[in-house]
mmCIF file of all heavy atoms in Angstrom:
data_model
loop_
_atom_site.group_PDB
_atom_site.id
_atom_site.type_symbol
_atom_site.label_atom_id
_atom_site.label_comp_id
_atom_site.label_asym_id
_atom_site.label_seq_id
_atom_site.Cartn_x
_atom_site.Cartn_y
_atom_site.Cartn_z
ATOM 1 N N ARG A 1 96.384 79.642 0.855
ATOM 2 C CA ARG A 1 95.396 79.853 -0.206
ATOM 3 C C ARG A 1 94.181 78.958 -0.002
ATOM 4 O O ARG A 1 93.030 79.411 -0.123
ATOM 5 C CB ARG A 1 96.027 79.592 -1.575
ATOM 6 C CG ARG A 1 96.966 80.655 -2.050
ATOM 7 C CD ARG A 1 97.472 80.362 -3.477
ATOM 8 N NE ARG A 1 98.584 81.212 -3.807
ATOM 9 C CZ ARG A 1 99.875 80.897 -3.605
ATOM 10 N NH1 ARG A 1 100.218 79.730 -3.099
ATOM 11 N NH2 ARG A 1 100.814 81.756 -3.909
ATOM 12 N N ALA A 2 94.418 77.691 0.293
ATOM 13 C CA ALA A 2 93.311 76.745 0.501
ATOM 14 C C ALA A 2 92.472 77.147 1.716
ATOM 15 O O ALA A 2 91.235 77.099 1.678
ATOM 16 C CB ALA A 2 93.861 75.320 0.687
ATOM 17 N N ASP A 3 93.128 77.565 2.795
ATOM 18 C CA ASP A 3 92.402 77.979 3.995
ATOM 19 C C ASP A 3 91.584 79.242 3.759
ATOM 20 O O ASP A 3 90.470 79.375 4.290
ATOM 21 C CB ASP A 3 93.380 78.185 5.162
ATOM 22 C CG ASP A 3 93.961 76.887 5.681
ATOM 23 O OD1 ASP A 3 93.477 75.795 5.302
ATOM 24 O OD2 ASP A 3 94.932 76.954 6.475
ATOM 25 N N ILE A 4 92.083 80.166 2.944
ATOM 26 C CA ILE A 4 91.334 81.362 2.589
ATOM 27 C C ILE A 4 90.082 80.988 1.825
ATOM 28 O O ILE A 4 88.978 81.446 2.129
ATOM 29 C CB ILE A 4 92.202 82.347 1.766
ATOM 30 C CG1 ILE A 4 93.287 82.974 2.651
ATOM 31 C CG2 ILE A 4 91.331 83.426 1.093
ATOM 32 C CD1 ILE A 4 94.336 83.761 1.870
ATOM 33 N N ARG A 5 90.239 80.110 0.811
ATOM 34 C CA ARG A 5 89.084 79.680 0.014
ATOM 35 C C ARG A 5 88.040 78.990 0.895
ATOM 36 O O ARG A 5 86.841 79.260 0.772
ATOM 37 C CB ARG A 5 89.528 78.737 -1.096
ATOM 38 C CG ARG A 5 90.307 79.395 -2.196
ATOM 39 C CD ARG A 5 90.693 78.398 -3.297
ATOM 40 N NE ARG A 5 91.678 78.953 -4.188
ATOM 41 C CZ ARG A 5 91.473 79.904 -5.089
ATOM 42 N NH1 ARG A 5 90.268 80.416 -5.208
ATOM 43 N NH2 ARG A 5 92.444 80.349 -5.859
ATOM 44 N N THR A 6 88.490 78.105 1.785
ATOM 45 C CA THR A 6 87.577 77.373 2.676
ATOM 46 C C THR A 6 86.839 78.333 3.607
ATOM 47 O O THR A 6 85.624 78.227 3.787
ATOM 48 C CB THR A 6 88.350 76.326 3.488
ATOM 49 O OG1 THR A 6 88.948 75.396 2.578
ATOM 50 C CG2 THR A 6 87.447 75.584 4.449
ATOM 51 N N ALA A 7 87.575 79.272 4.195
ATOM 52 C CA ALA A 7 86.962 80.220 5.123
ATOM 53 C C ALA A 7 85.908 81.094 4.421
ATOM 54 O O ALA A 7 84.810 81.289 4.943
ATOM 55 C CB ALA A 7 88.031 81.085 5.777
ATOM 56 N N LEU A 8 86.257 81.607 3.239
ATOM 57 C CA LEU A 8 85.312 82.454 2.518
ATOM 58 C C LEU A 8 84.099 81.671 2.038
ATOM 59 O O LEU A 8 82.966 82.149 2.130
ATOM 60 C CB LEU A 8 86.009 83.154 1.347
ATOM 61 C CG LEU A 8 86.907 84.323 1.754
ATOM 62 C CD1 LEU A 8 87.760 84.781 0.575
ATOM 63 C CD2 LEU A 8 86.082 85.486 2.303
ATOM 64 N N ALA A 9 84.306 80.445 1.542
ATOM 65 C CA ALA A 9 83.182 79.615 1.120
ATOM 66 C C ALA A 9 82.242 79.343 2.293
ATOM 67 O O ALA A 9 81.015 79.404 2.165
ATOM 68 C CB ALA A 9 83.675 78.313 0.509
ATOM 69 N N GLY A 10 82.823 79.063 3.467
ATOM 70 C CA GLY A 10 82.011 78.819 4.652
ATOM 71 C C GLY A 10 81.227 80.039 5.100
ATOM 72 O O GLY A 10 80.193 79.914 5.771
ATOM 73 N N ALA A 11 81.682 81.228 4.738
ATOM 74 C CA ALA A 11 80.992 82.468 5.081
ATOM 75 C C ALA A 11 80.042 82.921 3.964
ATOM 76 O O ALA A 11 79.464 83.995 4.047
ATOM 77 C CB ALA A 11 82.006 83.574 5.390
ATOM 78 N N GLY A 12 79.914 82.086 2.921
ATOM 79 C CA GLY A 12 78.979 82.404 1.841
ATOM 80 C C GLY A 12 79.585 83.164 0.677
ATOM 81 O O GLY A 12 78.871 83.795 -0.093
ATOM 82 N N TYR A 13 80.894 83.085 0.520
ATOM 83 C CA TYR A 13 81.590 83.751 -0.585
ATOM 84 C C TYR A 13 82.353 82.714 -1.399
ATOM 85 O O TYR A 13 83.564 82.550 -1.239
ATOM 86 C CB TYR A 13 82.554 84.818 -0.048
ATOM 87 C CG TYR A 13 81.896 85.886 0.776
ATOM 88 C CD1 TYR A 13 81.911 85.827 2.163
ATOM 89 C CD2 TYR A 13 81.274 86.966 0.156
ATOM 90 C CE1 TYR A 13 81.310 86.812 2.928
ATOM 91 C CE2 TYR A 13 80.672 87.965 0.918
ATOM 92 C CZ TYR A 13 80.686 87.877 2.298
ATOM 93 O OH TYR A 13 80.103 88.851 3.058
ATOM 94 N N PRO A 14 81.674 81.988 -2.284
ATOM 95 C CA PRO A 14 82.346 80.909 -3.026
ATOM 96 C C PRO A 14 83.221 81.387 -4.178
ATOM 97 O O PRO A 14 84.109 80.655 -4.627
ATOM 98 C CB PRO A 14 81.178 80.090 -3.558
ATOM 99 C CG PRO A 14 80.070 81.079 -3.719
ATOM 100 C CD PRO A 14 80.244 82.064 -2.592
ATOM 101 N N GLU A 15 82.997 82.601 -4.677
ATOM 102 C CA GLU A 15 83.772 83.109 -5.815
ATOM 103 C C GLU A 15 84.973 83.878 -5.283
ATOM 104 O O GLU A 15 84.825 84.999 -4.776
ATOM 105 C CB GLU A 15 82.895 84.038 -6.655
ATOM 106 C CG GLU A 15 81.595 83.407 -7.122
ATOM 107 C CD GLU A 15 81.723 82.756 -8.471
ATOM 108 O OE1 GLU A 15 82.696 83.071 -9.182
ATOM 109 O OE2 GLU A 15 80.865 81.924 -8.795
ATOM 110 N N VAL A 16 86.159 83.262 -5.394
ATOM 111 C CA VAL A 16 87.363 83.853 -4.799
ATOM 112 C C VAL A 16 88.519 83.821 -5.790
ATOM 113 O O VAL A 16 88.739 82.823 -6.469
ATOM 114 C CB VAL A 16 87.776 83.063 -3.525
ATOM 115 C CG1 VAL A 16 89.060 83.626 -2.933
ATOM 116 C CG2 VAL A 16 86.669 83.050 -2.507
ATOM 117 N N GLU A 17 89.222 84.930 -5.875
ATOM 118 C CA GLU A 17 90.479 84.989 -6.630
ATOM 119 C C GLU A 17 91.559 85.395 -5.629
ATOM 120 O O GLU A 17 91.385 86.340 -4.864
ATOM 121 C CB GLU A 17 90.399 86.026 -7.748
ATOM 122 C CG GLU A 17 91.706 86.165 -8.501
ATOM 123 C CD GLU A 17 91.674 87.271 -9.564
ATOM 124 O OE1 GLU A 17 90.580 87.786 -9.877
ATOM 125 O OE2 GLU A 17 92.753 87.621 -10.053
ATOM 126 N N ILE A 18 92.672 84.658 -5.639
ATOM 127 C CA ILE A 18 93.775 84.982 -4.745
ATOM 128 C C ILE A 18 94.959 85.428 -5.584
ATOM 129 O O ILE A 18 95.416 84.719 -6.467
ATOM 130 C CB ILE A 18 94.132 83.792 -3.841
ATOM 131 C CG1 ILE A 18 92.910 83.421 -3.004
ATOM 132 C CG2 ILE A 18 95.335 84.132 -2.957
ATOM 133 C CD1 ILE A 18 93.067 82.190 -2.159
ATOM 134 N N VAL A 19 95.423 86.638 -5.290
ATOM 135 C CA VAL A 19 96.536 87.255 -6.017
ATOM 136 C C VAL A 19 97.753 87.251 -5.091
ATOM 137 O O VAL A 19 97.644 87.598 -3.918
ATOM 138 C CB VAL A 19 96.187 88.699 -6.417
ATOM 139 C CG1 VAL A 19 97.355 89.388 -7.099
ATOM 140 C CG2 VAL A 19 94.936 88.738 -7.271
ATOM 141 N N THR A 20 98.897 86.849 -5.642
ATOM 142 C CA THR A 20 100.130 86.874 -4.870
ATOM 143 C C THR A 20 100.950 88.080 -5.319
ATOM 144 O O THR A 20 101.307 88.190 -6.482
ATOM 145 C CB THR A 20 100.950 85.573 -5.091
ATOM 146 O OG1 THR A 20 100.140 84.477 -4.695
ATOM 147 C CG2 THR A 20 102.236 85.597 -4.267
ATOM 148 N N ALA A 21 101.204 89.001 -4.384
ATOM 149 C CA ALA A 21 101.994 90.188 -4.660
ATOM 150 C C ALA A 21 103.394 89.977 -4.095
ATOM 151 O O ALA A 21 103.555 89.736 -2.911
ATOM 152 C CB ALA A 21 101.348 91.414 -4.029
ATOM 153 N N LEU A 22 104.397 90.063 -4.946
ATOM 154 C CA LEU A 22 105.784 89.867 -4.515
ATOM 155 C C LEU A 22 106.500 91.184 -4.231
ATOM 156 O O LEU A 22 107.580 91.186 -3.644
ATOM 157 C CB LEU A 22 106.548 89.066 -5.560
ATOM 158 C CG LEU A 22 106.008 87.658 -5.835
ATOM 159 C CD1 LEU A 22 106.812 86.988 -6.942
ATOM 160 C CD2 LEU A 22 105.978 86.829 -4.584
ATOM 161 N N ALA A 23 105.884 92.303 -4.652
ATOM 162 C CA ALA A 23 106.507 93.610 -4.408
ATOM 163 C C ALA A 23 105.457 94.544 -3.813
ATOM 164 O O ALA A 23 104.328 94.573 -4.306
ATOM 165 C CB ALA A 23 107.060 94.173 -5.707
ATOM 166 N N PRO A 24 105.782 95.255 -2.785
ATOM 167 C CA PRO A 24 107.056 95.168 -2.091
ATOM 168 C C PRO A 24 107.174 93.834 -1.357
ATOM 169 O O PRO A 24 106.160 93.229 -0.977
ATOM 170 C CB PRO A 24 107.019 96.327 -1.094
ATOM 171 C CG PRO A 24 105.566 96.570 -0.860
ATOM 172 C CD PRO A 24 104.875 96.232 -2.144
#
């Protein structure tokens, strides 16, 4: 999750929501 946020912020996308899907 932290690496996703860092990568997107570095590419100019600071607004990020990360959803965890357990199914399937």
